[in-house]
Amino acid sequence: MENKLSVGHLSAIITIIIWGTTYISTKILLNGFSPIEILFFRFVIGIIALKMIYPYRLKFMDKQHELLFACAGLCGVTLYYLLENIALTFTLASNVGVISAIVPFFTAILIYLFLKNEPLRMNFFIGFIVALLGIFLISFNGSTNFQLNPVGDLLAVAATLIWAIYSVLTRKISSYGYNTIQATRRVFFYGILFMIPALFLFDFKLDLERFVQPVYLFNLLFLGLGASALCFVSWNFAIKKLGAIKTSIYIYLVPVITVITAMIVLHEPMTWMAALGILLTLTGLFISEAKINTKRSKVLVNGLTK
C-alpha cells in the first residue's frame, strides 16, 4: 500500500516538474504559432504517441462511460486550455498564476459534494491559505502592476473550475479500472474532436514548413510527448492512486518550478520575495498533505461545507 502511494506521489511530482517548465516552450512557439495551433498540434502528437505505445482498443464496461470520457476531454483538454489562453489576452500572467492555485480548493469541494469518497480535513484549508499567499508573492514578486481585470480574471477562475471538474471526472473514470494509457488516449480523442470547431474561429493554419525549424519541432515534441502524452498519463495515474484532492495539491508547485527554471535557463535573479513565496508555498503543500484527522478538524470541516 505504501509503495503504491509513493509511486502516486512520484508521478504527481514528475508531472508538475514538467508542467512547470512548459511556459518556456510555449513562449518560444508563440513566435511562430498561434495559441490554438500549439494546443492542437501538441495533443495530436500526444494521441499518436499513446497509440504507438499502447495500440490496444479501449473496451467499455458500460456504454454510459463514453459520456464520462467525452466530458473529460471537453473539460481537461479543450475548455481548460482555451479559457486559460483567452484569459491571458485580457489579464496579467501573474493574475492567472495566482488564480490557478484555487484548483485544489475547487477540486476538494466538488469531490466532497459529488463523490464523497475523499475526506476533507482542516489542514487542507490551512495549507491552501498558506500556499496561496506564497504563490501570490511568487507571481507578483514586488511588482507594482497589480490590478484586477474582471473579464480575464473571471475567465481564469472558470478555467480552474473546469480543471477541477476534469479531476472529478478522472477520479470517477479511474474507479472503473480502465487502463490509464487507454483512458488518457480516449480523453485526448474527445479533446481534439471538440477542439475542431475552435480551429475555424481562431487563426489556425497548417503550414507544415514551420516544423522544419529545429527549435519549433523540438518544443512541439516536448509539449506533445512530455507535457501531454506523458504528463496526462502520470497525472491520471496519480489521481487513481492518491485521489483527486491529494494529487491536485501538487499544483501549488507549478509557480515554484517556473521560478527555479527561469533562474537556471533564463538567468532571471531570485529575489527575497520569490524565495519567501517558495518557502510559504512548500509549507502550504506539506501542511495540506499532512495526516491530521482529529475530531475537531472534522467538526470544523463539516461546518465549512454545510
Side-chain angles (χ1 to χ4, degrees), residues 23 257-271:
Y23 86 101
I257 300 299
T258 299
V259 168
I260 294 174
T261 304
M263 183 179 65
I264 296 173
V265 178
L266 302 180
H267 305 292
E268 294 183 1
M270 172 72 73
T271 65

Side-chain angles (χ1 to χ4, degrees), residues 13-292:
I13 291 171
I14 291 173
T15 304
I16 291 303
I17 288 174
I18 295 175
W19 277 349
T21 61
T22 54
Y23 86 101
I24 295 177
S25 291
T26 302
K27 187 175 182 179
I28 293 171
L29 288 170
L30 284 172
N31 292 320
F33 295 81
S34 67
I36 189 65
E37 288 170 347
I38 297 172
L39 181 59
F40 179 75
F41 288 133
R42 67 177 280 186
F43 280 100
V44 167
I45 293 172
I47 196 172
I48 291 173
L50 293 180
K51 183 68 175 178
M52 293 174 65
I53 293 170
Y54 201 86
Y56 305 103
R57 184 179 178 183
L58 178 66
K59 295 180 180 179
F60 289 102
M61 302 173 187
D62 189 318
K63 291 183 178 179
Q64 293 183 349
H65 293 176
E66 184 86 65
L67 180 60
L68 285 176
F69 282 97
C71 291
L74 176 63
C75 293
V77 176
T78 310
L79 289 180
Y80 171 73
Y81 285 100
L82 282 178
L83 286 173
E84 188 178 67
N85 288 342
I86 295 171
L88 286 169
T89 64
F90 287 99
T91 190
L92 302 174
S94 52
N95 288 35
V96 176
V98 172
I99 292 171
S100 65
I102 306 175
V103 167
F105 178 80
F106 280 152
T107 301
I109 298 301
L110 291 178
I111 287 287
Y112 184 84
L113 291 176
F114 294 102
L115 298 186
K116 301 182 184 298
N117 58 0
E118 296 182 35
L120 280 176
R121 299 185 176 93
M122 182 50 60
N123 59 293
F124 169 83
F125 294 99
I126 295 172
F128 168 73
I129 294 171
V130 174
L132 189 63
L133 178 59
I135 292 169
F136 181 89
L137 293 178
I138 292 171
S139 297
F140 294 102
N141 198 15
S143 172
T144 58
N145 294 325
F146 173 69
Q147 60 184 40
L148 296 176
N149 300 276
V151 175
D153 293 343
L154 286 175
L155 285 172
V157 172
T160 62
L161 180 58
I162 289 294
W163 184 262
I165 294 172
Y166 167 74
S167 298
V168 174
L169 291 169
T170 302
R171 179 58 170 159
K172 187 66 176 177
I173 290 171
S174 69
S175 67
Y176 296 127
Y178 288 109
N179 176 276
T180 306
I181 295 178
Q182 288 178 311
T184 304
R185 195 177 69 216
R186 197 65 177 177
V187 169
F188 280 16
F189 167 76
Y190 279 110
I192 294 170
L193 186 65
F194 287 122
M195 202 185 302
I196 291 174
L199 301 182
F200 297 97
L201 296 176
F202 297 95
D203 185 24
F204 178 83
K205 297 175 183 177
L206 194 58
D207 193 9
L208 297 178
E209 292 182 1
R210 292 174 292 180
F211 292 86
V212 177
Q213 299 186 43
V215 65
Y216 289 157
L217 180 60
F218 172 80
N219 283 287
L220 273 174
L221 288 176
F222 173 70
L223 291 180
L225 300 178
S228 298
L230 173 62
C231 284
F232 269 76
V233 169
S234 57
W235 187 254
N236 293 344
F237 177 80
I239 288 178
K240 188 175 183 178
K241 297 300 180 184
L242 304 177
I245 297 176
K246 275 188 170 292
T247 304
S248 68
I249 289 170
Y250 281 100
I251 290 176
Y252 296 151
L253 289 178
V254 170
V256 174
I257 300 299
T258 299
V259 168
I260 294 174
T261 304
M263 183 179 65
I264 296 173
V265 178
L266 302 180
H267 305 292
E268 294 183 1
M270 172 72 73
T271 65
W272 69 267
M273 187 171 287
L276 178 59
I278 289 173
L279 179 62
L280 285 172
T281 302
L282 292 176
T283 301
L285 173 64
F286 289 131
I287 292 173
S288 296
E289 290 283 3
K291 294 181 179 179
I292 302 172

